[in-house]
CSV table of all heavy atoms in Angstrom, one decimal:
chain,number,residue,atom,x,y,z
A,94,GLY,N,-8.5,-12.2,-12.9
A,94,GLY,CA,-8.7,-12.6,-14.3
A,94,GLY,C,-9.6,-13.9,-14.4
A,94,GLY,O,-10.4,-14.0,-15.3
A,95,ALA,N,-9.4,-14.8,-13.5
A,95,ALA,CA,-10.2,-16.0,-13.4
A,95,ALA,C,-11.7,-15.6,-13.3
A,95,ALA,O,-12.6,-16.1,-13.9
A,95,ALA,CB,-9.8,-17.0,-12.3
A,96,VAL,N,-12.0,-14.6,-12.4
A,96,VAL,CA,-13.3,-14.0,-12.2
A,96,VAL,C,-13.7,-13.4,-13.5
A,96,VAL,O,-14.9,-13.6,-13.8
A,96,VAL,CB,-13.3,-13.0,-11.1
A,96,VAL,CG1,-14.6,-12.3,-11.0
A,96,VAL,CG2,-13.0,-13.6,-9.7
A,97,GLY,N,-12.9,-12.8,-14.2
A,97,GLY,CA,-13.2,-12.2,-15.5
A,97,GLY,C,-13.7,-13.3,-16.5
A,97,GLY,O,-14.7,-13.1,-17.3
A,98,ILE,N,-13.1,-14.4,-16.5
A,98,ILE,CA,-13.5,-15.6,-17.4
A,98,ILE,C,-14.9,-16.0,-17.0
A,98,ILE,O,-15.8,-16.3,-17.9
A,98,ILE,CB,-12.5,-16.7,-17.2
A,98,ILE,CG1,-11.2,-16.3,-17.9
A,98,ILE,CG2,-13.0,-17.9,-18.0
A,98,ILE,CD1,-10.0,-17.2,-17.7
A,99,GLU,N,-15.1,-16.1,-15.7
A,99,GLU,CA,-16.5,-16.6,-15.2
A,99,GLU,C,-17.5,-15.5,-15.5
A,99,GLU,O,-18.7,-15.8,-15.9
A,99,GLU,CB,-16.5,-16.9,-13.7
A,99,GLU,CG,-15.8,-18.2,-13.4
A,99,GLU,CD,-16.6,-19.4,-13.8
A,99,GLU,OE1,-17.6,-19.3,-14.4
A,99,GLU,OE2,-16.1,-20.5,-13.4
A,100,LEU,N,-17.1,-14.2,-15.5
A,100,LEU,CA,-18.1,-13.2,-15.8
A,100,LEU,C,-18.5,-13.3,-17.3
A,100,LEU,O,-19.6,-13.2,-17.7
A,100,LEU,CB,-17.4,-11.8,-15.7
A,100,LEU,CG,-17.6,-11.1,-14.3
A,100,LEU,CD1,-16.8,-9.8,-14.4
A,100,LEU,CD2,-19.0,-10.8,-14.0
A,101,LEU,N,-17.5,-13.6,-18.1
A,101,LEU,CA,-17.8,-13.8,-19.6
A,101,LEU,C,-18.7,-14.9,-19.8
A,101,LEU,O,-19.5,-14.9,-20.7
A,101,LEU,CB,-16.4,-14.0,-20.4
A,101,LEU,CG,-15.6,-12.8,-20.4
A,101,LEU,CD1,-14.1,-13.2,-20.8
A,101,LEU,CD2,-16.1,-11.8,-21.5
A,102,LEU,N,-18.6,-16.0,-19.0
A,102,LEU,CA,-19.4,-17.2,-19.2
A,102,LEU,C,-20.8,-17.0,-18.6
A,102,LEU,O,-21.8,-17.4,-19.1
A,102,LEU,CB,-18.7,-18.4,-18.6
A,102,LEU,CG,-17.5,-18.9,-19.3
A,102,LEU,CD1,-16.7,-19.8,-18.4
A,102,LEU,CD2,-17.8,-19.6,-20.6
A,103,ARG,N,-20.9,-16.4,-17.4
A,103,ARG,CA,-22.1,-16.3,-16.7
A,103,ARG,C,-22.9,-15.0,-16.9
A,103,ARG,O,-24.1,-15.1,-16.7
A,103,ARG,CB,-21.8,-16.4,-15.2
A,103,ARG,CG,-21.2,-17.8,-14.8
A,103,ARG,CD,-20.7,-17.7,-13.4
A,103,ARG,NE,-21.8,-17.8,-12.4
A,103,ARG,CZ,-22.4,-18.8,-12.0
A,103,ARG,NH1,-22.2,-20.0,-12.5
A,103,ARG,NH2,-23.4,-18.7,-11.1
A,104,HIS,N,-22.2,-14.0,-17.3
A,104,HIS,CA,-22.9,-12.7,-17.5
A,104,HIS,C,-22.5,-12.0,-18.8
A,104,HIS,O,-21.9,-11.0,-18.9
A,104,HIS,CB,-22.6,-11.8,-16.3
A,104,HIS,CG,-23.0,-12.4,-15.0
A,104,HIS,ND1,-24.3,-12.3,-14.5
A,104,HIS,CD2,-22.2,-13.1,-14.1
A,104,HIS,CE1,-24.3,-12.9,-13.3
A,104,HIS,NE2,-23.1,-13.4,-13.0
A,105,PRO,N,-22.7,-12.8,-19.9
A,105,PRO,CA,-22.2,-12.3,-21.2
A,105,PRO,C,-22.8,-11.0,-21.7
A,105,PRO,O,-22.1,-10.2,-22.4
A,105,PRO,CB,-22.5,-13.5,-22.2
A,105,PRO,CG,-23.6,-14.2,-21.5
A,105,PRO,CD,-23.4,-14.1,-20.1
A,106,ASP,N,-24.0,-10.7,-21.3
A,106,ASP,CA,-24.6,-9.5,-21.6
A,106,ASP,C,-24.0,-8.3,-20.9
A,106,ASP,O,-24.2,-7.1,-21.3
A,106,ASP,CB,-26.1,-9.5,-21.4
A,106,ASP,CG,-26.8,-10.5,-22.2
A,106,ASP,OD1,-26.3,-10.8,-23.3
A,106,ASP,OD2,-27.9,-11.0,-21.9
A,107,LEU,N,-23.3,-8.5,-19.8
A,107,LEU,CA,-22.7,-7.4,-19.1
A,107,LEU,C,-21.3,-7.0,-19.6
A,107,LEU,O,-21.0,-5.8,-19.7
A,107,LEU,CB,-22.5,-7.9,-17.6
A,107,LEU,CG,-21.8,-6.9,-16.7
A,107,LEU,CD1,-22.6,-5.6,-16.5
A,107,LEU,CD2,-21.6,-7.5,-15.3
A,108,VAL,N,-20.6,-7.9,-20.1
A,108,VAL,CA,-19.1,-7.7,-20.4
A,108,VAL,C,-19.0,-7.4,-21.9
A,108,VAL,O,-19.2,-8.3,-22.8
A,108,VAL,CB,-18.3,-8.8,-20.0
A,108,VAL,CG1,-16.7,-8.5,-20.2
A,108,VAL,CG2,-18.5,-9.2,-18.6
A,109,VAL,N,-18.5,-6.2,-22.3
A,109,VAL,CA,-18.3,-5.8,-23.7
A,109,VAL,C,-17.0,-6.5,-24.2
A,109,VAL,O,-16.9,-7.1,-25.3
A,109,VAL,CB,-18.2,-4.3,-23.8
A,109,VAL,CG1,-17.9,-4.0,-25.3
A,109,VAL,CG2,-19.5,-3.7,-23.4
A,110,SER,N,-16.0,-6.4,-23.3
A,110,SER,CA,-14.7,-7.0,-23.7
A,110,SER,C,-13.9,-7.2,-22.3
A,110,SER,O,-14.2,-6.6,-21.3
A,110,SER,CB,-13.8,-6.2,-24.6
A,110,SER,OG,-13.5,-4.9,-24.0
A,111,ALA,N,-12.9,-8.1,-22.4
A,111,ALA,CA,-12.2,-8.4,-21.1
A,111,ALA,C,-10.7,-8.6,-21.4
A,111,ALA,O,-10.3,-9.3,-22.3
A,111,ALA,CB,-12.8,-9.6,-20.5
A,112,ALA,N,-9.9,-8.0,-20.5
A,112,ALA,CA,-8.4,-8.2,-20.5
A,112,ALA,C,-8.1,-9.1,-19.3
A,112,ALA,O,-8.4,-8.8,-18.2
A,112,ALA,CB,-7.7,-6.9,-20.4
A,113,ILE,N,-7.7,-10.3,-19.6
A,113,ILE,CA,-7.4,-11.3,-18.6
A,113,ILE,C,-5.9,-11.3,-18.4
A,113,ILE,O,-5.1,-11.7,-19.4
A,113,ILE,CB,-7.9,-12.7,-19.0
A,113,ILE,CG1,-9.4,-12.6,-19.4
A,113,ILE,CG2,-7.7,-13.7,-17.9
A,113,ILE,CD1,-10.3,-12.1,-18.3
A,114,ILE,N,-5.4,-10.9,-17.3
A,114,ILE,CA,-4.0,-10.5,-17.2
A,114,ILE,C,-3.3,-11.5,-16.2
A,114,ILE,O,-3.7,-11.7,-15.0
A,114,ILE,CB,-3.8,-9.1,-16.5
A,114,ILE,CG1,-4.6,-8.1,-17.4
A,114,ILE,CG2,-2.4,-8.7,-16.4
A,114,ILE,CD1,-4.9,-6.7,-16.8
A,115,CYS,N,-2.2,-12.1,-16.7
A,115,CYS,CA,-1.4,-13.0,-15.8
A,115,CYS,C,-2.4,-14.0,-15.2
A,115,CYS,O,-2.3,-14.4,-14.0
A,115,CYS,CB,-0.6,-12.3,-14.8
A,115,CYS,SG,0.6,-11.2,-15.5
A,116,SER,N,-3.3,-14.6,-16.0
A,116,SER,CA,-4.3,-15.5,-15.5
A,116,SER,C,-4.5,-16.5,-16.6
A,116,SER,O,-4.0,-16.5,-17.7
A,116,SER,CB,-5.6,-14.7,-15.2
A,116,SER,OG,-6.5,-15.6,-14.5
A,117,ALA,N,-5.4,-17.5,-16.3
A,117,ALA,CA,-5.6,-18.6,-17.3
A,117,ALA,C,-6.9,-19.3,-16.9
A,117,ALA,O,-7.5,-19.0,-15.9
A,117,ALA,CB,-4.4,-19.6,-17.1
A,118,ALA,N,-7.3,-20.2,-17.7
A,118,ALA,CA,-8.6,-20.9,-17.6
A,118,ALA,C,-8.4,-21.9,-16.4
A,118,ALA,O,-9.4,-22.5,-15.9
A,118,ALA,CB,-9.0,-21.6,-18.8
A,119,LYS,N,-7.2,-22.3,-16.1
A,119,LYS,CA,-6.8,-23.1,-14.9
A,119,LYS,C,-5.5,-22.7,-14.4
A,119,LYS,O,-4.5,-22.6,-15.1
A,119,LYS,CB,-6.7,-24.6,-15.3
A,119,LYS,CG,-6.2,-25.5,-14.2
A,119,LYS,CD,-7.1,-25.6,-13.0
A,119,LYS,CE,-6.6,-26.6,-11.9
A,119,LYS,NZ,-7.5,-26.5,-10.7
A,120,ILE,N,-5.5,-22.1,-13.2
A,120,ILE,CA,-4.2,-21.5,-12.6
A,120,ILE,C,-3.6,-22.5,-11.7
A,120,ILE,O,-4.2,-22.8,-10.6
A,120,ILE,CB,-4.5,-20.1,-11.9
A,120,ILE,CG1,-5.2,-19.2,-12.9
A,120,ILE,CG2,-3.2,-19.6,-11.5
A,120,ILE,CD1,-5.7,-17.9,-12.2
Side-chain angles (χ1 to χ4, degrees):
V96 172
I98 293 171
E99 288 286 7
L100 270 178
L101 289 160
L102 290 167
R103 298 172 68 82
H104 303 278
D106 292 339
L107 176 65
V108 185
V109 176
S110 65
I113 308 300
I114 306 162
C115 297
S116 190
K119 171 67 177 174
I120 305 172

